[in-house]
Every structure is written in structure tokens, then in C-alpha cells.
Amino acid sequence: MPIEDKQKPQRNDRVTIRTVATHAGVSVAAVSKVMRNAYGVSDALRARVTDAIEVLAYRPSRAARGLRGRSFTIGVLLIDIRNPFLPEVIAGVNGVLAPSHYQAMIGVSDARVQLETSLIESMIDYKMDGLILVAPRLPSEILAKFAVQIPIVAVGYHDAGATAFDTVNTDDQRGAEIAVEALLACGYRDIEMLSLGEREGHAVSVVRQREIGFRRAMQRSGLGSSAVIGKIPIASPKREEAMRKFLSRKDRPHAVFCWSDLDAIILLSLAMEMGVRVPEDLAVIGYDNSSTAALGLVNLASIDQSGRELGQVATRALISRIEGRTSAEHILQTPSLVSRNSLIRSGNGTDK
Amino acid sequence: MPIEDKQKPQRNDRVTIRTVATHAGVSVAAVSKVMRNAYGVSDALRARVTDAIEVLAYRPSRAARGLRGRSFTIGVLLIDIRNPFLPEVIAGVNGVLAPSHYQAMIGVSDARVQLETSLIESMIDYKMDGLILVAPRLPSEILAKFAVQIPIVAVGYHDAGATAFDTVNTDDQRGAEIAVEALLACGYRDIEMLSLGEREGHAVSVVRQREIGFRRAMQRSGLGSSAVIGKIPIASPKREEAMRKFLSRKDRPHAVFCWSDLDAIILLSLAMEMGVRVPEDLAVIGYDNSSTAALGLVNLASIDQSGRELGQVATRALISRIEGRTSAEHILQTPSLVSRNSLIRSGNGTDK
DNA sequence: CGTTATATGGAGAACGTTCTACAAATTGTC
DNA sequence: GACAATTTGTAGAACGTTCTCCATATAACG
């Protein structure tokens, strides 16, 4: 009688690659080969293994996969889940990923550098196959350091000089120019930009890019000297306070370009409260063309950058990088204007 | 000369538990003990290991951890990232998790049962420690089956009879009652509810609960016979079409309770376009008290359920379950009314 | 000083994959 | 029919943890 009878296959109830192998009467390696559809599998073998997988409803353990090879998961890092622009990006990512065998896991950093770092590290520690970082706060050098360990695509991060990772953006400078051009076309000359407070957003952030575009467009029209950029704090209630101050200024301009719909919509609300008519007293144009902007009640003109498309493009870039590309790619989409009543009172408006 | 010189510690550059052990001059097991602060570690040993971890900036691999023990990650499954209510829940989850050593990973199912299943399975395969499912679509039996494999807390899922998993909800029946009571208090008698199309939302969903509450409150006031519930499709453009039809009805009621702010806000917009005055011609009350509802432009009365609190409570429940609780908990929070101009024209309104 | 508790550290077997080397079987070639 | 080339399948070593035994060293006790 053999002492070595420690062959107790059913100790646990989890179906592993070993269960499949036994059931199909083949080796573990064979099953693995079929899974990865590697070279050297006969049709007969493949069929048997596929059947066994089907019957047992086998799912490979992502944890184990991660330990050895790929985990078939890509991590998405969001700076802030509240911005209605971001869900669009996610939708784009999921759309591209759906037919593939990859899946997305999302982390939310709440714009804290600390948390952002630790989430990126976690995703690396999970052996995820690649990362899409949306509007990250970390400086380029740090990202480059991470990019050595894992393929990275940054979205909403203007660093065309990066060699270690890819970037996908809409041309925010151009977007701001379009906004200014639209205001100019309506006849406004005194145009101000409401931007984000100094401490938010670094040099490569979308905000600063939009400022550059704003300045350039104003300059180009000979209005360079009056190209004022107001800085609005990001958090309540200081934000509202700053906007109220702006609205009640004696020398308030007749047109304003807000760096984001988020701010523009609040500005619209406050304007209404304070009896400032839009667009008669003040024309407003935002950025992002969020779903709220499109509401009849709001009717905010905005610069559209398709978040969905951005997500799609970023995902495709990431996959190509995962599959071996090493040279950096820097993709720039062109934004477009969506004109609405906050810019100029249109025919189908509500002022009958 | 020994043939066995395969001791090449620096083959890869990843700092593993082995690197730490070598650096500290102790065994791998010792380091692991310190990490888990298990029994049987002297202060001296702990200090040396801690130092080594610090110096080497060691991070344990989540993949490896998952394979053997816990991964210190909890999965959050969102039905839809667009609903502004959900970010609040995430904020609550992150808030509770931040000081702990747990981290949240989010999956977005886009309300597809297929994707929801596969995401839950993935999270199990990652050996996550627990799951928070927000408004899942899967039937209770399926969730129970998953709950055998991993601790689960369902949010926005009314199944107080579930024994395998916990639920955390606001009392949606009560919320609807509060809405009706508020409308009654303003003197409205002909009240309709605009709910979600039949095919969306199952018996345990929040929508159906709100319908029950609506009916009960109407019945209680002797208005049971006129308690009409209209069903609005969830997707554009059918949604807008149905709402337009409602707004142009000859027998349109004077007050309407929308199952969600999402719909209420669109209704408000269409009402404005069609010249239906709110609240003079039609009073509207929504549900969720989303940030958009609070905008001065919108000014939508709503039932507030603190998403943040829901997230916090759910997270705490999950952690206690991970730590061993096996009896099911079913938590019910009480929602509250936030009155605004869409309900009744208040003094500080804009109609000067 | 011998015996027994107790505190401390380490060996080594999992966990479920991937993937390199290699063996065995089959086919092709002269 | 001998040999090489090719195809097909398998053994078994990683991967980086956790955690159950064990082996010591030290303290306690008579």
C-alpha cells in the first residue's frame, strides 16, 4: 500500500486549470496552451479542452495570472468622478475593451497626489497590463518612472515631449481659440477668461493650455492688452464668492470664457440670481459640452471635446503599447464649437 | 568549485519580500509576520524589518497576496457612472477606506447584466476581499450564489429577506411618501408619478419601492383611485417624446413626482420650452437631490438621500463582514425633503 | 541542574497560473 | 528502413506571498 496517497483533488471547490486538465485527460500545460492559443495544439486536443472548460465553467484566476504573466486588466485612474466629462471617457474605454478579453478597473484619486501615487502603485502591484491616467496631477518625471514598469497613456495631460508614455488630448489651445473667435464673431470685444486658481493645475494641465490659447487668440485680434484671466478657486463656497464679485464688478466685461462647464453653469446660475441677463448683459461660453450645458434650462454654449472618442483613442493606444510599441505617441484631437443661447440669442429661443 | 551557483539575487529589479528578508538578515517568514503583525516577533526583529521595508521602499505584490490570502482591495460595482448620485457613494466609500489599508477598485457595468456578471466574477478572481454592488440588476438568487464566494453588500437593492448578503438603502417607500406629503401640503390634489419603464428595474429596485410609497401615500389621503403612474423610457429620444406627450396632455395633473432628478430636470427643461410654467402650471418634485437640482437655474425640489452616507455605511458593513460577521444586516436610512421653487414659489425666488 | 513552559525565528508547502525545455510521436526524405 | 525534421504533448520551475508546523533559545520552576 502506497503511503503517498495525498491525491485529494476535490479539497476545495474552486475549478482550477488542474481540474480542467484532469477532466479533459490532458496535462496542465496543454490547457494553458489552449487558453493562450499558443503553438503546438492539435484540433482534437483543443476541442477536448474547450469542452471541459465549457462544462466546468472554468474561469482562470486573475490573481494567479497576474503573478506569472498578464492579468488582462487595464487600470483607469480618474482624478475626480464628479466631472460629467469623465463618464464619457470611461464609456469610450469600455466600448473598445468590450469585444476584447481585457477589462477595466477604475480608481478614483479625488485629485490627491498621495492617493494618486498609491493607486498607480496598487495597479502595478496587481500586475495590470496597462494604465490610462485621466488628467493626472503627478509631474512628468514621476509618470516616466512609473512608465518603465507599466505601459501608460495619459489623457488630458499636455506633455508632447514625454518619451516614456503616450498622451491623448484634444487641442486645448485651439479650443480656447475657437471660443474666443466665436465671441469675436458675435461682436464682443471685451472678453475675459475665468480660469482655475493658481494652485490647481500644473503647467501641462488642460487649464493652462486653454489660457495659452485664450491669450494667443486675443493677441491675434489686437486685444492682447485686455486679455484678462481671472482665477476662480475650485471649492465652494470661495468659488461662488469669487464669481459674485466678478458679476458685480463695475467694469465687468460683456463676454466671458469659462475654462469648464462646471464653472460656467454655476456662473449662469449666479447671474440669474443677481439679475445679470445672459447673453444680453453677459455672454458666456464654457468648455466640455457637458450634458447639463445642453439642457434647455441652461443652454450654455460650449467647446465640445468628445470624451468618448478620447477614451477610445487612448485605449487603442494603450493596447498597441501593451503589444509591444515602444516609441511614444502624442495624439491631438480637434475640438469644436457648440453654439447655444448663452452666446447669442438664437431664433428658437424662449424669448417670444 | 561548486556547480550550484544559481544564486543570482538581482536578476530582476523588483523588490520582493525576499529582498527585504536578505537586507534585514532575516527569513522571509519573519518579514511576512511583521507585515501581518502576527504573533511571535520581537521588537528588535520588527525594527530591523521595518527599517529594511522603509529603505527599500518595499510594496507587497497584490497579485501574490491575492493568490494566497487577502488582497486588501474591495470592489465597487456601479450600474452607471452617469448618474450624479453615484459619485457621492464612491466618495463615502473612499472616505471610510482612506485611513485603512484597504483600497477600492471600481467597475462599471453600464446596466448590462452580462457585464455585471463578468465584472463580479473578475473581482472574485482577483481575490478581492469584498464587494459593494450599487443598484445591481442581477436577481437575488444569483447574488446569493456569489455571496458564498465573497462578502457582499448591496446598495440600492431592496431585499430585506436576503440572508447571504447585506443591504444598505434609504427607505425609498418613505421617500416617495414624503414627496407626496409635500405636494399635498402645498394644496395639490391631482398628483401623478413619472416612473421608469416597465422593463427597467426589477421588483427589488428603488424605482418600484418608490412606486409603492407613492401609491400608499395617495391611498392614505383618499386619492387612491387617481394615483396614476406614468412610465417613461430610460433612453433618448423616446424619453423626451414621452415627456412631451405628458406635458401637452389635456388632463395633465398640477403636480408630478419624478422617480429621479435625472428625469425631473429634463422635464423641467421641456416644460420651459413648451411654455408650461413651473410651479404655477405644474409643480415638480424629484428624487436624489443631485447637484444640478440645487442650481439656481434649475431649482428643483427633491428628496435627499445622502449618497455619501450610504457609501460610508455600506463600507463599514462590508468590513465587519470581511472580519467575520455572518448574519445578514439590512440597513435603512431615512430620506428628507429639500424644498425648492419647483414645488412652490418661495419668497427669495426670482420673480421680483 | 534538570524539566517544562514560553517566546522567538525559520523551513517549506501551498495558491493557480505561464512558459521553457524537453520527450514522444509522427511525417518526410533519400 | 535509417535518419532528420516537424508536430504534439508534458514536466516542472518560476512568480511573491501566507501560514502551518517545527526548531531553537530563553525563562520559570522545583
Side-chain angles (χ1 to χ4, degrees):
Chain A
M1 170 182 146
I3 305 170
E4 318 250 335
D5 65 336
K6 52 184 171 184
Q7 286 286 81
K8 293 184 183 174
Q10 249 66 9
R11 208 202 73 182
N12 206 339
D13 50 355
R14 165 140 200 140
V15 175
T16 78
I17 199 173
R18 219 170 308 270
T19 326
V20 176
T22 311
H23 188 274
V26 299
S27 73
V28 168
V31 178
S32 177
K33 269 192 181 176
V34 172
M35 299 281 308
R36 299 174 282 135
N37 51 67
Y39 173 83
V41 206
S42 67
D43 288 353
L45 181 76
R46 178 183 309 282
R48 265 195 304 170
V49 170
T50 311
D51 281 2
I53 288 176
E54 185 89 4
V55 170
L56 299 171
Y58 165 68
R59 302 191 317 258
S61 151
R62 299 219 169 211
R65 275 191 157 168
L67 190 51
R68 195 73 232 297
R70 320 273 286 281
S71 65
F72 294 101
T73 306
I74 73 145
V76 180
L77 198 74
L78 299 185
I79 189 180
D80 167 26
I81 203 176
R82 264 163 252 262
N83 191 329
F85 167 68
L86 300 172
E88 286 303 313
V89 179
I90 299 291
V93 172
N94 273 346
V96 174
L97 250 34
S100 76
H101 43 297
Y102 286 96
Q103 239 171 30
M105 289 283 181
I106 303 165
V108 178
S109 73
D110 268 329
R112 312 179 116 93
V113 170
Q114 175 93 23
L115 189 51
E116 186 172 316
T117 308
S118 109
L119 275 169
I120 294 178
E121 287 176 344
S122 278
M123 287 173 168
I124 293 175
D125 296 345
Y126 258 125
K127 278 275 180 68
M128 290 188 173
D129 296 338
L131 257 39
I132 295 179
L133 312 180
V134 184
R137 309 286 280 224
L138 291 169
S140 189
E141 313 87 64
I142 308 273
L143 290 191
K145 211 165 286 176
F146 282 130
V148 175
Q149 307 176 58
I150 187 170
I152 287 183
V153 176
V155 177
Y157 191 86
H158 288 270
D159 183 10
T163 58
F165 55 91
D166 302 336
T167 63
V168 174
N169 290 286
T170 44
D171 190 335
D172 287 288
Q173 296 189 13
R174 182 74 198 116
E177 286 179 12
I178 292 174
V180 172
E181 287 163 8
L183 290 168
L184 289 170
C186 293
Y188 304 105
R189 293 279 128 186
D190 48 342
I191 305 171
E192 245 182 76
M193 174 173 180
L194 287 189
S195 184
L196 208 51
E198 294 292 357
R199 302 193 43 214
E200 325 288 338
H202 34 249
V204 297
S205 69
V206 294
V207 194
R208 301 298 166 240
Q209 292 293 308
R210 290 172 197 169
E211 291 181 1
I212 292 172
F214 171 75
R215 276 211 193 80
R216 188 165 52 213
M218 292 294 278
Q219 217 109 43
R220 199 176 285 159
S221 309
L223 301 167
S225 53
S226 60
V228 181
I229 297 184
K231 305 283 185 173
I232 307 289
I234 199 168
S236 287
K238 295 210 160 186
R239 167 157 71 173
E240 285 76 4
E241 198 180 301
M243 287 187 185
R244 282 212 169 80
K245 191 177 285 177
F246 168 81
L247 285 169
S248 54
R249 254 171 50 194
K250 258 277 166 331
D251 62 336
R252 164 163 50 77
H254 282 90
V256 62
F257 164 48
C258 286
W259 79 277
S260 158
D261 282 3
L262 245 55
D263 275 5
I265 289 167
I266 294 180
L267 186 70
L268 248 40
S269 262
L270 295 176
M272 191 202 68
E273 279 179 20
M274 296 173 65
V276 175
R277 292 169 307 161
V278 174
E280 291 80 2
D281 300 336
L282 179 69
V284 180
I285 184 165
Y287 209 113
D288 276 348
N289 189 26
S290 64
S291 54
T292 311
L295 286 174
L297 279 171
V298 176
N299 228 322
L300 170 71
S302 191
I303 302 298
D304 184 273
Q305 54 168 330
S306 167
R308 173 178 296 263
E309 205 167 323
L310 240 39
Q312 289 171 347
V313 171
T315 308
R316 278 194 275 266
L318 184 62
I319 289 180
S320 89
R321 202 173 243 283
I322 289 174
E323 287 172 350
R325 177 170 52 81
T326 57
S327 61
E329 253 178 27
H330 299 287
I331 302 169
L332 217 52
Q333 311 262 55
T334 306
S336 60
L337 172 74
V338 179
S339 184
R340 293 207 186 87
N341 283 3
S342 74
L343 183 58
I344 191 163
R345 188 64 68 180
S346 72
N348 61 350
T350 56
D351 52 340
K352 40 175 174 241
Chain B
M1 168 184 149
I3 306 168
E4 316 250 335
D5 64 334
K6 52 184 170 184
Q7 286 287 82
K8 291 184 183 174
Q10 250 65 8
R11 207 202 73 179
N12 205 339
D13 49 356
R14 163 138 202 143
V15 175
T16 77
I17 199 174
R18 221 170 305 271
T19 324
V20 176
T22 312
H23 189 274
V26 298
S27 74
V28 168
V31 178
S32 176
K33 272 189 180 174
V34 171
M35 299 281 306
R36 298 173 284 136
N37 49 66
Y39 173 83
V41 206
S42 68
D43 289 353
L45 181 77
R46 178 182 310 281
R48 263 197 304 170
V49 170
T50 311
D51 280 2
I53 288 176
E54 184 88 7
V55 170
L56 299 170
Y58 164 68
R59 301 190 319 257
S61 151
R62 298 216 170 214
R65 275 191 157 168
L67 191 51
R68 194 75 230 295
R70 318 274 287 283
S71 65
F72 294 100
T73 306
I74 72 147
V76 180
L77 197 74
L78 299 184
I79 188 179
D80 168 27
I81 205 176
R82 265 164 252 262
N83 190 328
F85 167 68
L86 299 171
E88 286 302 314
V89 179
I90 299 291
V93 172
N94 273 346
V96 173
L97 250 34
S100 76
H101 43 298
Y102 286 97
Q103 239 171 29
M105 289 283 181
I106 302 165
V108 178
S109 73
D110 267 329
R112 311 181 116 95
V113 170
Q114 174 91 22
L115 190 50
E116 186 171 316
T117 308
S118 107
L119 276 169
I120 294 178
E121 288 176 343
S122 278
M123 288 173 169
I124 292 175
D125 297 344
Y126 258 124
K127 277 274 180 67
M128 291 189 173
D129 296 338
L131 257 39
I132 293 180
L133 311 180
V134 184
R137 308 286 280 224
L138 290 170
S140 189
E141 313 87 65
I142 308 274
L143 290 191
K145 211 164 286 176
F146 282 130
V148 175
Q149 307 176 58
I150 187 170
I152 288 183
V153 176
V155 177
Y157 191 84
H158 288 271
D159 183 10
T163 58
F165 56 90
D166 302 336
T167 63
V168 174
N169 289 287
T170 44
D171 190 337
D172 286 287
Q173 295 189 14
R174 183 75 198 114
E177 287 178 14
I178 293 175
V180 173
E181 286 162 8
L183 290 169
L184 289 169
C186 293
Y188 303 106
R189 294 280 127 184
D190 49 341
I191 305 171
E192 249 184 71
M193 173 172 180
L194 287 190
S195 183
L196 207 51
E198 294 292 356
R199 300 193 44 214
E200 326 289 339
H202 35 251
V204 297
S205 69
V206 295
V207 195
R208 301 299 166 238
Q209 293 292 308
R210 290 173 197 169
E211 291 181 0
I212 293 172
F214 172 73
R215 278 211 190 82
R216 190 165 55 215
M218 291 296 278
Q219 218 109 43
R220 197 177 284 158
S221 309
L223 301 168
S225 54
S226 61
V228 182
I229 298 184
K231 305 284 187 174
I232 307 289
I234 200 168
S236 287
K238 293 211 160 187
R239 167 156 75 173
E240 285 75 4
E241 198 178 303
M243 287 186 183
R244 282 213 168 81
K245 192 177 286 178
F246 168 81
L247 286 169
S248 54
R249 253 170 51 193
K250 257 281 170 311
D251 62 336
R252 163 163 51 76
H254 282 90
V256 60
F257 164 48
C258 287
W259 80 277
S260 159
D261 281 3
L262 245 54
D263 275 6
I265 289 168
I266 293 179
L267 185 71
L268 249 41
S269 261
L270 294 177
M272 191 203 68
E273 278 181 19
M274 296 171 66
V276 176
R277 292 168 306 160
V278 175
E280 291 80 2
D281 301 335
L282 180 68
V284 180
I285 184 164
Y287 208 111
D288 277 347
N289 189 27
S290 64
S291 56
T292 312
L295 286 173
L297 278 171
V298 177
N299 228 322
L300 169 70
S302 192
I303 303 297
D304 184 273
Q305 54 170 330
S306 166
R308 175 179 295 262
E309 205 168 323
L310 240 39
Q312 289 172 346
V313 171
T315 308
R316 277 193 278 265
L318 184 62
I319 289 180
S320 90
R321 202 173 244 283
I322 289 173
E323 286 172 351
R325 176 169 54 78
T326 57
S327 62
E329 254 178 26
H330 298 288
I331 300 169
L332 216 53
Q333 311 262 54
T334 306
S336 61
L337 172 74
V338 179
S339 184
R340 293 207 185 88
N341 282 4
S342 73
L343 182 59
I344 193 164
R345 189 63 70 179
S346 72
N348 61 350
T350 54
D351 53 340
K352 40 180 177 228

